Amino acid sequence: MNTTQSKDGTTLAYNVYGNGPALIYITGASCHRSFKPIVQDAKIFATEFTVYNYDRRGRGNSENTLPYTMEREIEDIEAMIDSAGGTAYLYGHSSGAVLALEAALQLGSKVQKVIMYDAPYVRDEEKKVEYNQLSQKINKLLDKGKHAEAMSTFLKGIGMPKVFVLLLPLLPGWRTMKALAPTIAYDIALTQDMPPVERATRVSVPTQIIVGEKSPSSMHDVGRQLAKAIPNAKFVQLAGQDHMVNGKTLLPLLSGFFKK
């Protein structure tokens, strides 16, 4: 395990895999750097890149300086880029895609290129109201220390099958997932609005937007909105894939876009 410090003094934990151009892997909600699927993906990507797989603040071995703001997470990404030598490619999955877009807007030439997969902004005002109701419910559970219920409520609220959510407490990683529950509020804060299409027109970094063919229709709508707004952005629908994309299937797109 390696560590670095963000601008506000928060210690961030990360692992480095592979050789090649630097790639910062920005994970989504309820994930951390040691989560088995994340490690698997990082090692797959490491066949083509030097992958920096880090715990976002409040997760795993990273600290959780309060109050939380999106700007602090962008500073965390900047700290990771500095650890990688000063410039890097960014791959953001789910809420990590939101952070990747913001980093592209705020960090200038430190960000070389960006790939966003299934950015989960709300697609319209109706969904925004529904998501706000879910947010209020989850925050009340978190305030009461009901972390397991908050995590289950969030996962069901974003469309995960109820049967799968019911089985989660039986899995070895459930204790770790419960510990991540407070960070759900962070991911909701990142994704509670519609895509920032007006600001996205100012992105000057080469950007590729990917959605899984089987991902929710809302993510397809959001992806197309962003692709239309971001200058020269590429939009790709990845055949056969859903929100939990297969790393081996994704790798050719990362390599083809980043190394072009």
Side-chain angles (χ1 to χ4, degrees), residues 85-107:
T87 59
Y89 301 130
L90 303 184
Y91 166 61
H93 177 266
S94 195
S95 60
V98 174
L99 291 172
L101 175 61
E102 290 297 328
L105 283 164
Q106 298 183 40
L107 300 182

Side-chain angles (χ1 to χ4, degrees), residues 234-246:
K234 290 187 63 179
F235 179 83
V236 178
Q237 180 177 282
L238 192 52
Q241 296 300 302
D242 56 20
H243 191 59
M244 300 309 294
V245 61
N246 182 288

Side-chain angles (χ1 to χ4, degrees), residues 21-47:
L23 171 64
I24 311 297
Y25 185 5
I26 312 171
T27 58
S30 71
C31 292
H32 58 99
R33 82 179 202 287
S34 301
F35 185 38
K36 188 175 180 180
I38 300 299
V39 174
Q40 289 175 339
D41 285 349
K43 289 183 176 180
I44 290 168
F45 303 158
T47 61

